Amino acid sequence: MPKTLTVMLFSGAAENEDALFAVRLAEAALDKGHKVQMYLFGNSVSLSKKEIPIEGDLHISPRLLEHIEPTKCFEALARLCAKGADISTCHTNEHARGIESREYVDGVKWGDVGSAFTKYLMTTDVLLSVGH
């Protein structure tokens, strides 16, 4: 019988591999027929927004870019949503980071702790918090 996995993600891209782990776990659960809910909180809210490419000199060495680029999960979150994942973000954390008005990655929804995350808690079989 399919179960519901809820992931509360705290870490964003390039901090560590927490976001990659969460995305890969969610994808594996979806591929096995389970339902996935993901709540983006803290620094992970930056993953909810469409990437704005920086033009000109990045002031980052090519080696560091090679390390950072694979940690970006923007497209992966859109793929999860397309596969049926329910992903929402904390608008309070977005506001605190000055990104609340930016466009969401396809499928990611505006959310809050009192409504979106509470709904996830009430409907989940497994809750996993990832990050710090």
Side-chain angles (χ1 to χ4, degrees):
M1 175 178 212
K3 301 286 185 186
T4 300
L5 168 67
T6 300
V7 177
M8 184 171 197
L9 181 60
F10 293 93
S11 299
E15 285 183 79
N16 49 47
E17 294 186 0
D18 290 347
L20 286 175
F21 169 77
V23 165
R24 290 175 180 160
L25 178 65
E27 189 162 32
L30 287 169
D31 289 347
K32 293 286 185 182
H34 300 291
K35 183 178 176 183
V36 170
Q37 304 174 136
M38 187 178 292
Y39 189 69
L40 305 175
F41 192 83
N43 286 338
S44 72
V45 297
S46 64
L47 301 173
S48 71
K49 303 299 184 170
K50 289 190 176 179
E51 185 174 22
I52 300 172
I54 298 170
E55 296 182 16
D57 188 2
L58 298 177
H59 305 286
I60 298 176
S61 72
R63 185 169 181 204
L64 184 55
L65 276 175
E66 288 173 16
H67 171 73
I68 292 172
E69 288 299 314
T71 69
K72 294 181 179 178
C73 298
F74 308 105
E75 293 175 11
L77 289 180
R79 282 194 310 272
L80 289 175
C81 290
K83 287 184 171 187
D86 184 355
I87 302 175
S88 63
T89 183
C90 178
H91 76 92
T92 304
N93 281 252
E94 291 178 52
H95 180 76
R97 287 159 176 79
I99 62 171
E100 191 172 14
S101 64
R102 288 183 34 209
E103 187 177 0
Y104 285 116
V105 166
D106 294 338
V108 174
K109 299 180 286 192
W110 179 97
D112 60 7
V113 171
S115 171
F117 187 61
T118 300
K119 180 193 85 163
Y120 289 166
L121 289 177
M122 293 172 47
T123 60
T124 195
D125 295 299
V126 177
L127 173 65
L128 178 65
S129 63
V130 179
H132 51 279

